[in-house]
Amino acid sequence: MLRRLAMLALFTALTLPAMAQSPPRLVNGFAPGGTADIVARLLADLAGPALGARPVVETRTGATGFIAAEQVARGPADGSATVLCVMSMLAIAPELPGARLPIDPRTDLSGVALFALSPYGLVVGAQSPYRSLAQLVEAARARPSAVSYASVGVGSAPHLSGVLIGLRAQAEMVHVPYRGAAPALLDIIANRADFMMVSLGDVTKQIQDGDLRLLALGDSRPVPLFPGIPPISATLPGVESYTWFGLCGPRGMSAEGRARWERGTAAAVADPTFRSRLEAMGLVPLFEDGATMDRRIAADRELWGGVVRAANIRAE
């Protein structure tokens, strides 16, 4: 019996340090190889020194990121894990009537650190007759329902962005939802739909290859990859449209754990390699701490919740 207890004590002494040194986890809920996956792995590479170890990036896809979010939200709040979160998860999904979510982002998650903005771009096909947003708005006003816009589905950020443009332009436009970005963009390129709001990180290559024409940016900040492209607000004041990438943790996350991730994220965003890689993807490097990120989430919820209510949109 004494020998068994001694062996147990030895095992505990050997394993506890290893457990204490387990690397932090960054859980990604989006498909491997996509923009979210790329930026998560890049962040992990450069945040490691400030965190004490490189975070392990785990992929848990499904439910537009909420499978991963649920895992972190229901896990320990000691800072051992964060989830990659994007604007639509925190600001649109909880405001959309009929949306079935495994967690409530308003009460189960909080911002930890934001590290990039991805302005939405208003794109048309290369053969489109529209060469400016002003031309497109003029056509929509002149002929109600003659101009159409594509999206990746009802209640998505591209859908709500198109609704917002129609509201500000005081023009009736036709929404054409698709099951995913790929078929939507194919129809934009083929001029079967007139325009689409889409994250620049997802269409940089098509714009550079000349398949798509970028008419306007959803954010007033300049995007080095696309110099000279005006913001939408230059034609339609008050219209801003972008997504962002950040880290979220469970509500009640420890102050110490949050501070470690904030330091790691700030160090990554300050790194020239990180910044150049993001800018090459059409993204804007930007660090915000958890408190600032939470204020951004609240403002985005107010904006997009207002659009949802104004257009009486429900999840399908």
Side-chain angles (χ1 to χ4, degrees):
M1 181 66 177
L2 289 174
R3 183 179 179 184
R4 189 175 299 172
L5 289 173
M7 291 296 292
L8 179 60
L10 177 62
F11 175 80
T12 301
L14 291 173
T15 57
L16 277 179
M19 292 171 63
Q21 294 173 10
S22 295
R25 296 161 47 238
L26 197 172
V27 187
N28 167 44
F30 300 94
T35 302
D37 181 60
I38 292 171
V39 297
R41 295 181 186 282
L42 183 59
L43 179 73
D45 287 341
L46 296 173
L51 279 165
R54 182 192 184 278
V56 174
V57 178
E58 295 183 5
T59 301
R60 296 285 185 271
T61 59
T64 59
F66 276 102
I67 297 299
E70 181 182 23
Q71 182 183 84
V72 170
R74 305 209 187 285
D78 58 2
S80 59
T82 60
V83 61
L84 183 79
C85 50
V86 298
M87 186 273 292
S88 59
M89 294 170 60
L90 276 291
I92 293 179
E95 300 296 319
L96 197 61
R100 297 180 179 179
L101 306 176
I103 60 172
D104 186 344
R106 293 166 295 195
T107 58
D108 297 333
L109 291 174
S110 63
V112 172
L114 183 142
F115 59 87
L117 290 181
S118 181
Y120 277 91
L122 191 153
V123 297
V124 299
Q127 305 305 314
S128 168
Y130 305 117
R131 306 197 72 85
S132 71
L133 176 56
Q135 288 181 349
L136 189 150
V137 168
E138 182 181 359
R141 287 171 175 166
R143 293 187 300 152
S145 300
V147 172
S148 62
Y149 63 95
S151 84
V152 296
V154 173
S156 64
H159 174 206
L160 298 188
S161 297
V163 171
L164 181 59
I165 288 170
L167 290 172
R168 294 289 190 270
Q170 297 183 321
E172 185 177 327
M173 302 179 182
V174 176
H175 174 225
V176 185
Y178 291 80
R179 292 187 178 276
L185 288 168
L186 284 175
D187 272 9
I188 292 293
I189 292 170
N191 284 327
R192 287 188 284 267
D194 290 305
F195 76 93
M196 183 174 178
M197 292 293 293
V198 62
S199 173
L200 289 179
D202 294 334
V203 291
T204 294
K205 187 175 187 304
Q206 291 96 321
I207 295 171
Q208 292 174 330
D209 289 348
D211 296 322
L212 294 171
R213 183 185 303 146
L214 177 62
L215 298 188
L217 299 172
D219 187 61
S220 58
R221 295 173 183 83
V223 177
L225 203 60
F226 302 110
I229 301 298
I232 294 173
S233 58
T235 301
L236 299 173
V239 175
E240 290 192 352
S241 179
Y242 53 80
T243 188
W244 41 254
F245 296 95
L247 303 178
C248 291
R251 184 67 66 177
M253 186 175 179
S254 72
E256 180 185 353
R258 183 185 303 276
R260 284 199 305 272
W261 284 99
E262 285 182 348
R263 288 195 301 271
T265 304
V269 174
D271 188 285
T273 298
F274 184 85
R275 300 183 69 85
S276 63
R277 288 283 301 276
L278 261 62
E279 288 172 353
M281 298 167 63
L283 307 182
V284 179
L286 176 68
F287 171 74
E288 290 181 354
D289 62 19
T292 306
M293 183 178 172
D294 278 338
R295 289 194 292 272
R296 179 184 291 275
I297 292 169
D300 286 345
R301 281 180 187 155
E302 183 177 357
L303 168 64
W304 296 117
V307 173
V308 166
R309 291 185 288 275
N312 194 28
I313 299 169
R314 289 187 60 86
E316 290 188 344

